mmCIF file of all heavy atoms in Angstrom:
data_model
loop_
_atom_site.group_PDB
_atom_site.id
_atom_site.type_symbol
_atom_site.label_atom_id
_atom_site.label_comp_id
_atom_site.label_asym_id
_atom_site.label_seq_id
_atom_site.Cartn_x
_atom_site.Cartn_y
_atom_site.Cartn_z
ATOM 1 N N LEU A 71 165.725 61.411 61.268
ATOM 2 C CA LEU A 71 164.420 61.212 61.894
ATOM 3 C C LEU A 71 164.186 59.730 62.148
ATOM 4 O O LEU A 71 164.540 58.896 61.318
ATOM 5 C CB LEU A 71 163.306 61.731 60.978
ATOM 6 C CG LEU A 71 163.300 63.211 60.648
ATOM 7 C CD1 LEU A 71 162.269 63.501 59.581
ATOM 8 C CD2 LEU A 71 163.013 64.017 61.894
ATOM 9 N N ALA A 72 163.584 59.423 63.282
ATOM 10 C CA ALA A 72 163.132 58.054 63.515
ATOM 11 C C ALA A 72 161.831 57.898 62.741
ATOM 12 O O ALA A 72 160.927 58.729 62.864
ATOM 13 C CB ALA A 72 162.914 57.823 64.999
ATOM 14 N N PHE A 73 161.717 56.853 61.923
ATOM 15 C CA PHE A 73 160.540 56.743 61.074
ATOM 16 C C PHE A 73 160.080 55.307 60.980
ATOM 17 O O PHE A 73 160.831 54.373 61.242
ATOM 18 C CB PHE A 73 160.816 57.294 59.668
ATOM 19 C CG PHE A 73 161.859 56.532 58.909
ATOM 20 C CD1 PHE A 73 161.506 55.480 58.075
ATOM 21 C CD2 PHE A 73 163.203 56.870 59.016
ATOM 22 C CE1 PHE A 73 162.464 54.782 57.368
ATOM 23 C CE2 PHE A 73 164.163 56.174 58.321
ATOM 24 C CZ PHE A 73 163.791 55.130 57.491
ATOM 25 N N THR A 74 158.812 55.141 60.625
ATOM 26 C CA THR A 74 158.242 53.837 60.311
ATOM 27 C C THR A 74 157.598 53.936 58.936
ATOM 28 O O THR A 74 157.067 54.988 58.564
ATOM 29 C CB THR A 74 157.178 53.408 61.338
ATOM 30 O OG1 THR A 74 156.158 54.399 61.368
ATOM 31 C CG2 THR A 74 157.772 53.243 62.716
ATOM 32 N N VAL A 75 157.661 52.847 58.193
ATOM 33 C CA VAL A 75 157.080 52.802 56.849
ATOM 34 C C VAL A 75 155.880 51.869 56.886
ATOM 35 O O VAL A 75 156.007 50.703 57.257
ATOM 36 C CB VAL A 75 158.105 52.325 55.801
ATOM 37 C CG1 VAL A 75 157.475 52.247 54.429
ATOM 38 C CG2 VAL A 75 159.319 53.237 55.791
ATOM 39 N N ASP A 76 154.717 52.385 56.550
ATOM 40 C CA ASP A 76 153.509 51.586 56.451
ATOM 41 C C ASP A 76 153.292 51.216 54.993
ATOM 42 O O ASP A 76 153.042 52.088 54.157
ATOM 43 C CB ASP A 76 152.288 52.354 56.968
ATOM 44 C CG ASP A 76 152.399 52.658 58.446
ATOM 45 O OD1 ASP A 76 153.174 51.976 59.135
ATOM 46 O OD2 ASP A 76 151.704 53.574 58.907
ATOM 47 N N GLU A 77 153.398 49.927 54.696
ATOM 48 C CA GLU A 77 153.225 49.457 53.327
ATOM 49 C C GLU A 77 151.735 49.478 52.960
ATOM 50 O O GLU A 77 150.897 49.104 53.778
ATOM 51 C CB GLU A 77 153.774 48.050 53.164
ATOM 52 C CG GLU A 77 155.276 47.956 53.360
ATOM 53 C CD GLU A 77 156.051 48.711 52.303
ATOM 54 O OE1 GLU A 77 155.558 48.822 51.161
ATOM 55 O OE2 GLU A 77 157.159 49.167 52.611
ATOM 56 N N PRO A 78 151.412 49.904 51.751
ATOM 57 C CA PRO A 78 149.999 49.933 51.350
ATOM 58 C C PRO A 78 149.471 48.533 51.084
ATOM 59 O O PRO A 78 150.202 47.651 50.627
ATOM 60 C CB PRO A 78 150.016 50.766 50.065
ATOM 61 C CG PRO A 78 151.385 50.583 49.525
ATOM 62 C CD PRO A 78 152.295 50.428 50.718
ATOM 63 N N ARG A 79 148.204 48.345 51.396
ATOM 64 C CA ARG A 79 147.537 47.083 51.094
ATOM 65 C C ARG A 79 146.648 47.311 49.881
ATOM 66 O O ARG A 79 145.865 48.254 49.861
ATOM 67 C CB ARG A 79 146.682 46.620 52.267
ATOM 68 C CG ARG A 79 147.516 46.142 53.432
ATOM 69 C CD ARG A 79 146.639 45.670 54.548
ATOM 70 N NE ARG A 79 146.060 46.845 55.194
ATOM 71 C CZ ARG A 79 144.927 46.846 55.874
ATOM 72 N NH1 ARG A 79 144.229 45.756 56.001
ATOM 73 N NH2 ARG A 79 144.478 47.956 56.424
ATOM 74 N N GLU A 80 146.797 46.460 48.907
ATOM 75 C CA GLU A 80 145.987 46.584 47.704
ATOM 76 C C GLU A 80 144.606 46.002 47.971
ATOM 77 O O GLU A 80 144.488 44.921 48.561
ATOM 78 C CB GLU A 80 146.641 45.871 46.528
ATOM 79 C CG GLU A 80 147.945 46.510 46.086
ATOM 80 C CD GLU A 80 147.771 47.946 45.619
ATOM 81 O OE1 GLU A 80 146.752 48.242 44.968
ATOM 82 O OE2 GLU A 80 148.654 48.758 45.915
ATOM 83 N N PRO A 81 143.550 46.688 47.546
ATOM 84 C CA PRO A 81 142.197 46.162 47.792
ATOM 85 C C PRO A 81 141.904 44.937 46.933
ATOM 86 O O PRO A 81 142.421 44.799 45.826
ATOM 87 C CB PRO A 81 141.291 47.331 47.407
ATOM 88 C CG PRO A 81 142.092 48.131 46.449
ATOM 89 C CD PRO A 81 143.532 47.973 46.866
ATOM 90 N N LYS A 82 141.076 44.057 47.474
ATOM 91 C CA LYS A 82 140.666 42.886 46.711
ATOM 92 C C LYS A 82 139.643 43.314 45.670
ATOM 93 O O LYS A 82 138.728 44.073 45.974
ATOM 94 C CB LYS A 82 140.033 41.845 47.623
ATOM 95 C CG LYS A 82 140.982 41.219 48.601
ATOM 96 C CD LYS A 82 140.251 40.206 49.440
ATOM 97 C CE LYS A 82 141.166 39.595 50.475
ATOM 98 N NZ LYS A 82 140.435 38.661 51.352
ATOM 99 N N ARG A 83 139.816 42.854 44.486
ATOM 100 C CA ARG A 83 138.894 43.165 43.409
ATOM 101 C C ARG A 83 137.961 41.985 43.173
ATOM 102 O O ARG A 83 138.419 40.864 42.960
ATOM 103 C CB ARG A 83 139.629 43.484 42.112
ATOM 104 C CG ARG A 83 140.574 44.649 42.208
ATOM 105 C CD ARG A 83 139.796 45.928 42.186
ATOM 106 N NE ARG A 83 140.716 47.043 42.256
ATOM 107 C CZ ARG A 83 140.361 48.238 42.597
ATOM 108 N NH1 ARG A 83 139.106 48.493 42.889
ATOM 109 N NH2 ARG A 83 141.237 49.207 42.638
ATOM 110 N N LEU A 84 136.673 42.217 43.233
ATOM 111 C CA LEU A 84 135.702 41.186 42.913
ATOM 112 C C LEU A 84 135.309 41.361 41.460
ATOM 113 O O LEU A 84 134.694 42.359 41.087
ATOM 114 C CB LEU A 84 134.468 41.313 43.813
ATOM 115 C CG LEU A 84 134.712 41.119 45.301
ATOM 116 C CD1 LEU A 84 133.426 41.369 46.069
ATOM 117 C CD2 LEU A 84 135.213 39.716 45.568
ATOM 118 N N VAL A 85 135.695 40.400 40.655
ATOM 119 C CA VAL A 85 135.412 40.470 39.229
ATOM 120 C C VAL A 85 134.027 39.901 38.997
ATOM 121 O O VAL A 85 133.776 38.725 39.271
ATOM 122 C CB VAL A 85 136.474 39.705 38.420
ATOM 123 C CG1 VAL A 85 136.168 39.782 36.950
ATOM 124 C CG2 VAL A 85 137.854 40.248 38.720
#
Side-chain angles (χ1 to χ4, degrees):
L71 298 172
F73 64 92
T74 58
V75 178
D76 296 339
E77 295 295 330
R79 289 181 286 155
E80 294 299 322
K82 293 180 182 177
R83 301 283 181 198
L84 297 176
V85 180

